[in-house]
Amino acid sequence: MKILFFSLILTLLISCNNIINNQQISEKKVPNSEKLLQTVNQFVDLEGRPVTISDYKGKRVLLNFWATWCRPCIEEMPSLLRAQEILKKEGYIFLLASDQSVKVIKAFKAKKGFDFTFIKYNGSWAQQEIDALPTTFIYNKAGEKVEKIVGEVVWDSPEVLQRLKDTH
């Protein structure tokens, strides 16, 4: 019985390793233009329509990754909301991305009443090099990521507002 069990485990490990190796090989064969197309649906709005940072070219984008279970994420939202209002005239778009289900995000939005553009993130945190929540990326008008901010921030503080205004 033990031999059968260990044989089964060994077979599964070898199979998983082959799958991983095949995926790595197939990823190397995908041209860059196709990789770009594959990442287009990483974000969708709450109606399921694709969203990309390039949709906002010519604007500056603050992309905040958060979760409903993340206390610091929720605690920074009131200051984030005030900063959003202040920075509208600076050409900023605020997007709040969660990997939770659209249903959970919609329920959170309805319960809390925060007026943000909430989007669903369909990728993994590792793809974005996110180790902690909240994590925020700032994109310039050309759509280039120019800053990564990890942790809770008082977004409407004079220092942070000035830093965001100075982003080019």
Side-chain angles (χ1 to χ4, degrees):
M1 185 71 163
K2 287 182 184 180
I3 294 172
L4 180 63
F5 176 73
F6 286 117
S7 298
L8 180 62
I9 296 297
L10 184 59
T11 304
L12 287 172
L13 288 174
I14 291 169
S15 299
C16 289
N17 189 32
N18 287 338
I19 291 169
I20 291 169
N21 288 336
N22 288 339
Q23 286 176 339
Q24 289 170 345
I25 292 167
S26 66
E27 277 184 31
K28 291 176 186 173
K29 293 179 184 177
V30 176
N32 286 337
S33 60
E34 287 184 35
K35 282 184 182 178
L36 180 62
L37 291 174
Q38 290 174 357
T39 62
V40 167
N41 289 330
Q42 278 193 319
F43 300 99
V44 293
D45 66 17
L46 298 185
E47 304 308 315
R49 295 179 297 252
V51 174
T52 64
I53 298 302
S54 62
D55 293 342
Y56 300 100
K57 199 164 187 168
K59 302 272 187 186
R60 292 184 272 187
V61 176
L62 183 147
L63 176 59
N64 178 269
F65 289 90
W66 69 285
T68 60
W69 50 261
C70 171
R71 186 175 178 181
C73 299
I74 297 166
E75 288 176 351
E76 76 175 355
M77 284 187 181
S79 72
L80 197 57
L81 194 58
R82 291 187 295 272
Q84 176 180 253
E85 188 60 35
I86 293 166
L87 293 172
K88 266 186 196 174
K89 60 184 171 245
E90 300 290 329
Y92 262 97
I93 301 295
F94 283 51
L95 301 174
L96 276 72
S98 174
D99 69 342
Q100 295 177 277
S101 72
V102 169
K103 182 179 178 181
V104 168
I105 298 168
K106 282 181 175 181
F108 174 86
K109 183 177 181 178
K111 180 179 177 185
K112 296 290 186 178
F114 290 120
D115 188 22
F116 291 115
T117 300
F118 288 100
I119 58 177
K120 162 94 172 84
Y121 176 56
N122 292 316
S124 72
W125 296 128
Q127 286 175 297
Q128 297 293 332
E129 298 178 4
I130 295 174
D131 299 321
L133 293 178
T135 293
T136 304
F137 297 134
I138 308 299
Y139 293 85
N140 64 18
K141 290 180 181 181
E144 303 162 326
K145 187 188 310 178
V146 294
E147 193 164 355
K148 176 181 179 179
I149 303 167
V150 178
E152 185 178 350
V153 173
V154 179
W155 291 100
D156 61 341
S157 72
E159 301 81 17
V160 173
L161 287 171
Q162 191 58 53
R163 187 168 150 193
L164 292 171
K165 288 178 183 179
D166 292 342
T167 301
H168 296 288

